[in-house]
Amino acid sequence: MNTRLKIAKLADATDAAHIEKALEAVPRVNSVRVEPDDHQAVVEHDGADETELTAAVKQLGYVATVE
């Protein structure tokens, strides 16, 4: 399954790399694609908790919401 996260303040590839690494650490996440130009991340997972996904991003100082 895929979950799209809208990420506020996502500015560039450096931000994207940090967010990608944080999301990949969430249990049950298979892959992550962060799109800085669209201010979003697409997370492919096997039932990962959406609250854990947004919390992983928020720990880095960004605001994430599930689309």
Side-chain angles (χ1 to χ4, degrees):
M1 98 178 23
N2 286 335
T3 298
R4 286 187 180 274
L5 300 175
K6 192 72 172 171
I7 304 171
K9 299 190 261 176
L10 173 56
D12 57 29
T14 302
D15 292 346
H18 290 128
I19 291 168
E20 188 173 302
K21 185 178 271 190
L23 288 170
E24 287 173 343
V26 174
R28 303 179 68 106
V29 169
N30 298 325
S31 67
V32 178
R33 185 177 77 247
V34 179
E35 301 168 352
D37 293 338
D38 296 329
H39 302 283
Q40 70 176 0
V42 179
V43 183
E44 185 180 316
H45 59 89
D46 295 320
D49 186 331
E50 290 180 350
T51 303
E52 288 184 39
L53 295 174
T54 57
V57 175
K58 287 179 183 179
Q59 285 182 338
L60 297 175
Y62 303 92
V63 177
T65 54
V66 177
E67 290 191 314

